[in-house]
Amino acid sequence: MAETLIEEWKRTLNPKASTYVNYPKILSWFLKDIGMSPESFVDLAKREPQKAENVILAYRRRLEMENKAPKTIGLILYVIKSFLKFNGIKNVEISAKGLDGVRRFDYIPTEQEVQLILNCCSLQLRAAASLVAFSGIRPSDVIALKWLNIKDEMIYDSGSRSVEAQKSPLKIVLQQRKTGQFYVTFLCPQGIRSLQSWINYRLSREPSLKLQDNTRIFLFSSTGSFSKSFDHVLRKINLKRPQAFKTCRLYSLRKYFRRQLDLAKIDQHLREYFMGHKIYLPGVYSGLRDLDNVAIENARNEYAKAINYLQETAISERKSKIELICRSLGIEPKQLFEILKEEFYFQIEYSQTVEQNNNGIELLDLLYALFPEKIK
């Protein structure tokens, strides 16, 4: 069977990059929306380039009317241009200049908001989102995470069918899908607990599951499903659009990671390295290019300085707050939990959703900090 034009064009893309999957999808959506096959669109562009330009311009205007982000529209136009260029068409003008639309910024959550988000996540989502927030890993790399990436410092006990981290912060070795480069990042104690809990849950529920090098840690089918699950939580706690022109999304957690490392005064080169960016590594960190053990330990020690900025401060503040509430009421924290559990529906791990008002969610957040074993 002959390859389609899209399949032929796809072969020119980097198979290790996310563009290999995403660009053909974008092109297919465009062709479906304009009601043309790849062959008929290419034929039109060759015979009547002006008509092809008009089709593309009309599509661009439609996207603007739908308030699509200028960056998104620009990417779509770039994909169309790449496809036409591959087919030898260079006289169809496609420009992203002058894009209209309201510019939106990423909302970067506070420490307390990150804790609230994670506490309202399912077990799998909490572990996955923790890797974005506390390790700076791209969502596409999170869903591709395998046992091989974490097994150096996480031990599997075949008798109890459970895993346990041997070091903290936990080392994670990745090959970045976008650039193909290998790099190391780390995970703080709170993130380790979430990751362990998810893996152990899977081991308990899937008797046939074996932790081999290529075993995927997460069950998300795509980055889109990961992001959609995260957005669902944000809407539940009214944090999707907390401010004008600002939107909170899964990628906001990476920006949270960068900001908190900035606050902790972590070396900027190392900070960008932890996020999987290609960066010059000076001095004692230069060995990271070869995954040198001495350089990794130096990097671990530097990351450890940021732990309180990523997690501990928020947890400590909420524990103090709930203890203050209890003292003012003249009761013990456990008594407060018993009183409140009849008033609010708490999220059930793995499946059920949160059904409560803002005060209930705030109390869930506070109670989870003190009684993580009680609120499942």
Side-chain angles (χ1 to χ4, degrees), residues 38-175:
E39 291 76 16
S40 60
F41 178 60
V42 168
D43 183 58
L44 175 65
K46 286 179 177 178
R47 289 186 297 102
E48 301 181 78
Q50 186 59 53
K51 279 193 176 181
E53 283 183 22
N54 292 339
V55 169
I56 297 168
L57 181 59
Y59 188 69
R60 168 184 156 163
R61 286 174 177 164
R62 174 182 155 189
L63 295 174
E64 290 180 274
M65 290 294 292
E66 293 173 355
N67 289 320
K68 298 294 185 184
K71 188 175 180 180
T72 299
I73 299 174
L75 175 61
I76 293 170
L77 296 177
Y78 173 81
V79 170
I80 297 169
K81 187 174 183 178
S82 171
F83 176 68
L84 291 178
K85 184 178 179 181
F86 171 76
N87 286 281
I89 300 166
K90 301 180 182 180
N91 58 342
V92 174
E93 185 175 344
I94 303 176
S95 175
K97 291 182 180 179
L99 282 171
D100 295 327
V102 178
R103 182 180 179 186
R104 293 197 177 276
F105 302 89
D106 281 329
Y107 176 78
I108 306 176
T110 64
E111 293 174 59
Q112 290 78 8
E113 287 168 339
V114 166
Q115 294 299 324
L116 174 58
I117 291 167
L118 295 177
N119 291 342
C120 293
C121 287
S122 67
L123 196 63
Q124 176 179 213
L125 185 58
R126 182 182 303 149
S130 293
L131 287 165
V132 183
F134 301 146
S135 301
I137 303 175
R138 288 182 174 88
S140 59
D141 290 325
V142 169
I143 65 169
L145 192 74
K146 297 178 181 179
W147 176 244
L148 175 65
N149 302 120
I150 59 176
K151 75 171 189 177
D152 279 358
E153 297 180 356
M154 190 168 276
I155 302 301
Y156 170 59
D157 184 334
S158 58
S160 62
R161 280 185 61 78
S162 64
V163 299
E164 184 177 358
Q166 298 300 295
K167 284 191 175 183
S168 179
L170 179 74
K171 178 185 71 176
I172 302 174
V173 182
L174 297 160
Q175 184 178 19

Side-chain angles (χ1 to χ4, degrees), residues 202-268:
R202 283 197 66 191
L203 289 168
S204 69
R205 295 298 182 96
E206 302 175 43
S208 62
L209 179 64
K210 295 181 180 179
L211 293 180
Q212 299 174 332
D213 284 356
N214 64 347
T215 301
R216 287 183 58 181
I217 301 300
F218 298 106
L219 303 178
F220 295 109
S221 59
S222 65
T223 307
S225 64
F226 181 15
S227 181
K228 186 176 181 180
S229 298
F230 187 77
D231 283 348
H232 179 73
V233 172
L234 293 178
R235 291 189 178 93
K236 281 287 184 181
I237 59 177
N238 298 317
L239 199 61
K240 181 60 182 172
R241 299 188 187 279
Q243 295 179 8
F245 307 110
K246 291 188 177 183
T247 301
C248 192
R249 58 187 182 124
L250 181 57
Y251 208 83
S252 298
L253 295 183
R254 258 172 66 87
K255 295 190 175 183
Y256 167 81
F257 177 79
R258 173 187 279 135
R259 185 190 65 198
Q260 298 308 103
L261 263 61
D262 277 343
L263 293 174
K265 302 188 185 310
I266 303 302
D267 180 274
Q268 62 176 342

